[in-house]
Amino acid sequence: MAKTRYVYGFDEPATGGRELLGGKGVGLAEMTQLGVPVPAGFTITTDACRAYMVARDLPDGLEDEVDAHVRRLEELTGKRFGSDDDPLLVSVRSGAAVSMPGMMDTILNLGLNDAAAEGLAARTGNARFAFDSYRRLIQMFGEVVEGIDGHRFESALGALKQQRDVQQDTDLSADDLRELVETFKAIYREEAGADFAADARAQLLRAVRAVFESWDTPRAQVYRRAHDIPEDLGTAVNVVQMVFGNKGERSGTGVAFTRDPSTGEAGLYGEFLSDAQGEDVVAGIRTPQPMEAMRTSLPKAFEQLISTMRRLEEHYRDMQDIEFTVEDEQLYLLQTRAAKRTAAAALKAAVSMVDEGLITREEAVNRIDPAQLDQLLHPMIDPNAGLTVAAKGLNASPGAASGGIVFDADSAVERAKAGPVVLVRWETTPDDIHGMIAAQGILTVHGGMTSHAAVVARGMGKPCVAGCDDLTIGADTATIGGTTLREGDVITIDGGTGRVFIGEVPLVAPQINEDFETILGWADAQRRLKVRANADNPEDAVRAREFGAQGIGLCRTEHMFFGEERLPVMQEMILADTEAGRRSALDRLLPFQQSDFEGIFEAMAGLPVTIRLLDPPLHEFLPAEADAVDEKMARRIRALHESNPMLGTRGCRLGLLYPEIYEMQIRAIARAARAVQERTGDAPLVEVMHPLVGFREELARLRDLTETVWAQEAPEIEHLVGTMIEVPRAALRADEIAEVADFFSFGTNDLTQTTLAFSRDDAEGKFLTAYLQEGVLERNPFEVIDIDGVGDLMRIAVERGRGAKPELKLGICGEHGGEPRSVAFCHELGLDYVSCSPFRVPLARLAAAQAALKEAGSGAYVAAGG
Ligand code: PEP
Ligand code: MG
């Protein structure tokens, strides 16, 4: 068997693509092969990482390959690794197949030691630069390899600046930095119990191990779980010749986007720091300048950057996010990748790129993440509210959020259980990831648009205001524009404008723009699945239609029995001892139901409306026993008590036990249909749906009841009668049930509950959270369909149902109907439609189109770069 090869130079062809080389490695290799200015280097493959994970040691042969590639680097650069005179310095950077910003570790300036730092100083005539690089190496190596707390180094740097009475790192002299190196070495020795490794080769190999190890850190695991990244991908390691942005005024470093990552507008967006190394920008320690500053300070490199960016966008046919460094006016690109962008930017960029002829409409549809569309559908701050802005920062990630402030990630998780929180930090680090997930929004003092907080929040679709200078954080207080706040005090942030307000602020529903409509129009042309909405009242029906719903897939009629005028009558019905008593109350409920149905039918004119008859156990309409108004009510509450009400007298069982209830509902539906037909000239398309059916006989009887009442009220109006599939037995006996059904609608909330024997009311607050944390289950089955279990039952129901009745209409109305992966599964199953809440309709339209495109062979889009 041929020996596995673990290392590839950027200029060497490798066939494994991003899976093998990681996103960053592939990007560097492609850029090298395109002739873009990239420093020389090589990539250690993800195969090596996986082998390391198994053996907890570098695999055989890897060290030799690394040595050989270091020698090649020496030849290419004319410098020597470990030399005292003109040392070759390298960076070691992680890079997985899927981008995990800031989640894993990077070490810069490897190859320096006391002698090499002197050599570098002499060779460059810049001692300041040499010792600045050296102190950074000791800190990064200490943090990443030895796990030393970075604050130890930061405070030593802070103390030195204070002593010298200077503001900026760049104000420190060469001698100051020499002194700082000694301090850092002492910290290193104290914390690690050994001296900082002087040997360049040892530094490199230890750094490679540390990057492999960083794949498994808790923060990386949390990030992977939050973003559904498989555990066994592993990371590649890139060893790259160092280029220096911290060599003085003719050098610098920055991050740039080919289009605005917030809005998608064409143009140049980014940030630049002169005389600095890359991590200064990313960590948000110094607040950078806008790109325009570079146009004047480094005009030649600026022009070259612009033309290179244009080339990269044309090559990758997507918006790029680029890291670059200028060393003595020479431009180098360190990374390019598909830019993380807000939903608005994703839409704008996709539409513009179609207009520019860069991509097709199908590609544009495939490039939008359906879950991200949600961002556009979230509330924003009411522009007309007269508000006092307490502070202003950068508009790092759009959307508005209110919540009690918390100062650390653990408190965010804790307090978020009781209500919304906003995480307030100097800056965020990857260790804060769990707090960022728990918070509604993020506010930071430091950092730019490309800081950790900004990038991660944007990816999560959470509001973020960064670089907020008017905010200071004390031991357990925050002062915002002069007002001092404590943990739990409420603030509101507007990530779209960067504004911060004290207290809660009125929010408005979001505006859907033209790009949104354009992309969804293209999506509609691709999809086969229809998308309906779950709506119980005329207002929701109108909104659903605006969002593009093609009908109502679930109108839960029980919601119509609440409200001041209705609930007492409903209770009277439940408390009645006789059928006559129940009928008298039902007669008074009928007009309410009828008028609600009329409103919904009119809102949905021309589109089908599925009305589901009463489903919940009756006790849900009565108060707790202690709140009963009299003994009769208390007795009834006791009598209705069941140990497992969700498996009890509910759904069609109620309809069979108390047929007068369903009779009234069917009568109200039929009368409403007739009234609407008389008023508008068009009959609504009514589908009467019976819940929780498990036996053919249940539906057969209820169908008879439906037809009898319908014939009395609206014999001339066509309608369908069908059932939800919510219990495994119904799925298994779908052929028999189909004989008496015109349609099935999968109620996957209950079908999940009944198939998994997970209580939908309790599981998430109890064992399910632990199951997800411990990895017993990968996903919450109430969110994403359990394809292997529940999905299999659905498949059986489809096959058997359609086997018995080919024209059987099939849909889904459980929560899964608005979840992209579940929508894709429904497409695969060949359902006719999915139904979801109105706000998720656009997302379902897009997900359905992507499923159709995938089936047609235009696979999911894979972003470029790492
Ligand atoms: C379901 O069970 O999936 C469903 C849609 O019905 P409900 O959530 O009202 O029980
Ligand atoms: Mg149900």
Side-chain angles (χ1 to χ4, degrees):
M1 200 178 84
K3 206 162 116 302
T4 311
R5 179 173 173 184
Y6 291 119
V7 185
Y8 292 87
F10 296 160
D11 53 354
E12 294 177 291
T15 47
R18 66 176 40 241
E19 265 78 47
L20 185 70
L21 298 177
K24 190 174 286 169
V26 152
L28 285 163
E30 282 181 348
M31 285 196 288
T32 304
Q33 285 150 32
L34 273 176
V36 166
V38 170
F42 55 88
T43 301
I44 304 173
T45 64
T46 55
D47 278 345
C49 180
R50 282 186 291 269
Y52 180 90
M53 289 302 162
V54 175
R56 287 284 155 192
D57 202 358
L58 298 179
D60 282 350
L62 178 60
E63 291 190 24
D64 293 342
E65 281 191 62
V66 168
D67 289 339
H69 276 85
V70 168
R71 277 195 300 278
R72 268 196 81 210
L73 258 189
E74 290 176 335
E75 280 159 26
L76 283 169
T77 59
K79 297 171 192 279
R80 278 210 13 257
F81 193 51
S83 149
D84 299 352
D85 174 25
D86 186 12
L88 166 68
L89 304 187
V90 296
S91 67
V92 166
R93 296 157 184 268
S94 60
V98 183
S99 166
M100 295 171 59
M103 277 301 120
M104 290 188 298
D105 294 317
T106 294
I107 305 178
L108 306 179
N109 308 334
L110 280 152
L112 279 176
N113 52 35
D114 293 354
E118 293 297 352
L120 185 65
R123 172 67 67 155
T124 58
N126 189 342
R128 205 197 157 280
F129 150 70
F131 285 91
D132 188 46
S133 305
Y134 190 18
R135 65 100 187 165
R136 288 169 191 269
L137 168 63
I138 299 167
Q139 170 165 357
M140 277 185 269
F141 196 89
E143 283 181 41
V144 172
V145 178
E146 300 288 358
I148 301 172
D149 183 352
H151 287 111
R152 290 236 36 205
F153 298 107
E154 293 298 338
S155 352
L157 171 63
L160 183 66
K161 285 199 290 190
Q162 216 168 25
Q163 250 178 40
R164 297 290 184 273
D165 196 20
V166 298
Q167 293 294 321
Q168 303 287 339
D169 298 0
T170 44
D171 297 332
L172 292 171
S173 70
D175 283 343
D176 294 335
L177 291 165
R178 245 182 240 274
E179 186 183 320
L180 193 62
V181 162
E182 291 311 315
T183 315
F184 276 19
K185 282 202 289 192
I187 293 173
Y188 187 100
R189 194 176 311 116
E190 202 180 302
E191 295 281 340
D195 282 327
F196 171 69
D199 178 56
R201 185 173 181 273
Q203 287 175 7
L204 177 58
L205 293 175
R206 290 191 67 193
V208 169
R209 282 170 177 270
V211 173
F212 286 157
E213 293 280 344
S214 73
W215 177 258
D216 254 358
T217 56
R219 73 184 191 212
Q221 289 174 6
V222 170
Y223 188 93
R224 285 199 288 275
R225 268 205 299 277
H227 291 83
D228 267 330
I229 300 171
E231 280 296 309
D232 58 359
L233 280 185
T235 181
V237 182
N238 301 290
V239 178
V240 192
Q241 173 206 354
M242 280 302 302
V243 288
F244 295 98
N246 58 335
K247 261 178 142 176
E249 287 305 311
R250 292 168 56 233
S251 304
T253 186
V255 183
F257 295 86
T258 53
R259 297 170 198 243
D260 185 334
S262 287
T263 66
E265 298 288 346
L268 176 63
Y269 290 83
E271 289 166 336
F272 178 70
L273 260 181
S274 73
D275 195 9
Q277 278 197 328
E279 84 277 11
D280 295 338
V281 182
V282 178
I285 293 164
R286 276 168 61 192
T287 302
Q289 299 167 283
M291 284 300 300
E292 280 305 308
M294 185 180 161
R295 187 194 290 272
T296 34
S297 59
L298 294 165
K300 238 182 69 220
F302 183 80
E303 287 311 320
Q304 199 188 355
L305 176 67
I306 302 289
S307 63
T308 305
M309 283 169 66
R310 203 171 305 127
R311 257 185 86 196
L312 286 172
E313 206 186 73
E314 276 164 18
H315 175 76
Y316 287 110
R317 301 162 65 239
D318 195 10
M319 175 175 167
Q320 297 293 296
D321 163 356
I322 287 157
E323 269 180 40
F324 66 93
T325 285
V326 182
E327 177 180 331
D328 290 332
E329 294 191 29
Q330 166 65 44
L331 173 76
Y332 293 95
L333 267 73
L334 304 182
Q335 172 165 305
T336 187
R337 59 183 170 187
K340 287 213 183 291
R341 61 203 89 172
T342 63
L347 293 172
K348 163 83 56 218
V351 171
S352 315
M353 282 191 269
V354 171
D355 290 345
E356 292 161 24
L358 217 54
I359 59 173
T360 64
R361 288 179 176 193
E362 289 78 9
E363 284 172 305
V365 166
N366 260 339
R367 286 197 181 177
I368 310 297
D369 173 3
Q372 220 195 0
L373 269 194
D374 236 18
Q375 272 183 37
L376 291 180
L377 304 169
H378 282 312
M380 307 295 280
I381 285 180
D382 183 349
N384 300 318
L387 299 170
T388 315
V389 178
K392 201 147 187 299
L394 296 171
N395 54 333
S397 178
S402 291
I405 58 174
V406 285
F407 299 116
D408 63 79
D410 291 341
S411 314
V413 171
E414 213 33 58
R415 270 191 175 262
K417 291 179 187 153
V421 298
V422 174
L423 181 62
V424 179
R425 304 279 290 154
W426 282 101
E427 69 247 338
T428 61
T429 69
D431 285 334
D432 294 321
I433 187 78
H434 56 299
M436 297 176 78
I437 292 170
Q440 299 292 308
I442 295 121
L443 171 63
T444 66
V445 181
H446 291 315
M449 298 290 279
T450 47
S451 63
H452 179 266
V455 171
V456 174
R458 225 177 278 137
M460 289 178 177
K462 291 206 170 167
C464 174
V465 174
C468 181
D469 293 335
D470 305 333
L471 165 70
T472 47
I473 302 177
D476 55 3
T477 57
T479 307
I480 300 180
T483 310
T484 299
L485 304 170
R486 297 188 174 280
E487 186 174 285
D489 290 349
V490 174
I491 62 166
T492 300
I493 60 168
D494 179 357
T497 60
R499 293 173 304 167
V500 181
F501 309 90
I502 311 263
E504 219 169 310
V505 160
L507 304 179
V508 288
Q511 311 290 319
I512 293 175
N513 65 20
E514 222 176 286
D515 302 322
F516 185 95
E517 300 291 358
T518 306
I519 292 275
L520 284 175
W522 293 342
D524 290 344
Q526 303 298 331
R527 71 186 157 92
R528 183 185 52 69
L529 269 179
K530 289 204 158 49
V531 178
R532 299 195 193 180
N534 295 353
D536 313 325
N537 55 58
E539 300 78 62
D540 282 359
V542 169
R543 174 172 308 133
R545 221 179 162 146
E546 281 166 10
F547 282 140
Q550 295 163 289
I552 288 181
L554 175 64
C555 169
R556 292 179 165 100
T557 52
E558 57 269 19
H559 294 172
M560 301 169 172
F561 293 121
F562 290 93
E564 261 170 55
E565 287 174 301
R566 306 172 183 204
L567 189 59
V569 191
M570 184 67 180
Q571 291 178 342
E572 188 186 318
M573 192 278 292
I574 297 169
L575 294 173
D577 296 322
T578 62
E579 187 187 322
R582 281 193 294 277
R583 282 192 181 275
S584 140
L586 287 166
D587 285 347
R588 276 173 287 140
L589 284 172
L590 187 145
F592 290 125
Q593 288 248 286
Q594 186 182 330
S595 79
D596 287 343
F597 292 142
E598 287 180 27
I600 292 173
F601 290 154
E602 285 190 50
M604 278 289 153
L607 298 173
V609 177
T610 308
I611 297 177
R612 198 263 307 271
L613 302 185
L614 190 69
D615 179 46
L618 293 181
H619 77 85
E620 288 193 11
F621 298 95
L622 297 177
E625 194 185 337
D627 300 325
V629 294
D630 53 28
E631 181 45 33
K632 184 174 179 202
M633 187 183 263
R635 218 179 316 123
R636 189 74 179 129
I637 292 169
R638 278 196 295 279
L640 285 174
H641 173 81
E642 290 176 321
S643 300
N644 289 307
M646 289 307 268
L647 303 179
T649 316
R650 57 169 289 221
C652 65
R653 301 161 200 175
L654 278 174
L656 288 165
L657 237 53
Y658 308 105
E660 55 278 10
I661 301 179
Y662 277 20
E663 186 189 315
M664 178 280 282
Q665 291 197 289
I666 297 161
R667 208 174 290 288
I669 298 168
R671 285 186 187 174
R674 214 176 69 197
V676 168
Q677 186 190 34
E678 281 165 9
R679 211 161 35 239
T680 65
D682 288 317
L685 306 173
V686 185
E687 301 176 349
V688 179
M689 181 156 76
H690 295 277
L692 218 73
V693 164
F695 296 85
R696 178 190 190 279
E697 189 56 22
E698 288 172 324
L699 187 61
R701 291 182 185 205
L702 291 172
R703 179 166 196 130
D704 280 350
L705 174 72
T706 312
E707 300 301 13
T708 307
V709 177
W710 201 275
Q712 292 163 4
E713 299 293 341
E716 72 292 359
I717 297 183
E718 279 184 37
H719 62 281
L720 301 181
V721 180
T723 179
M724 301 187 73
I725 301 291
E726 296 178 286
V727 297
R729 193 182 194 285
L732 296 172
R733 309 304 292 195
D735 43 355
E736 293 166 7
I737 295 175
E739 287 167 10
V740 285
D742 301 319
F743 66 88
F744 287 171
S745 177
F746 289 97
T748 42
N749 303 333
D750 273 310
L751 191 58
T752 300
Q753 166 168 261
T754 52
T755 302
L756 276 58
F758 281 11
S759 160
R760 59 191 271 194
D761 299 318
D762 299 321
E764 277 152 307
K766 298 278 199 291
F767 63 92
L768 188 49
T769 316
Y771 264 33
L772 294 168
Q773 264 163 10
E774 309 285 325
V776 179
L777 288 184
E778 250 177 68
R779 301 203 174 89
N780 180 347
F782 289 109
E783 200 178 307
V784 184
I785 284 182
D786 159 40
I787 289 180
D788 298 339
V790 174
D792 235 19
L793 281 170
M794 292 171 70
R795 198 187 301 280
I796 289 170
V798 170
E799 280 166 13
R800 296 188 184 169
R802 284 227 174 104
K805 187 178 271 183
E807 70 279 17
L808 189 72
K809 219 178 188 185
L810 296 171
I812 178 176
C813 62
E815 283 309 298
H816 306 89
E819 189 284 321
R821 265 171 300 224
S822 312
V823 171
F825 178 67
C826 293
H827 172 91
E828 248 175 68
L829 278 187
L831 301 195
D832 296 300
Y833 68 87
V834 296
S835 187
C836 55
S837 75
F839 272 102
R840 292 171 93 190
V841 166
L843 182 160
R845 288 163 65 193
L846 184 64
Q850 291 179 345
L853 284 169
K854 189 168 169 211
E855 188 184 75
S858 65
Y861 167 69
V862 178

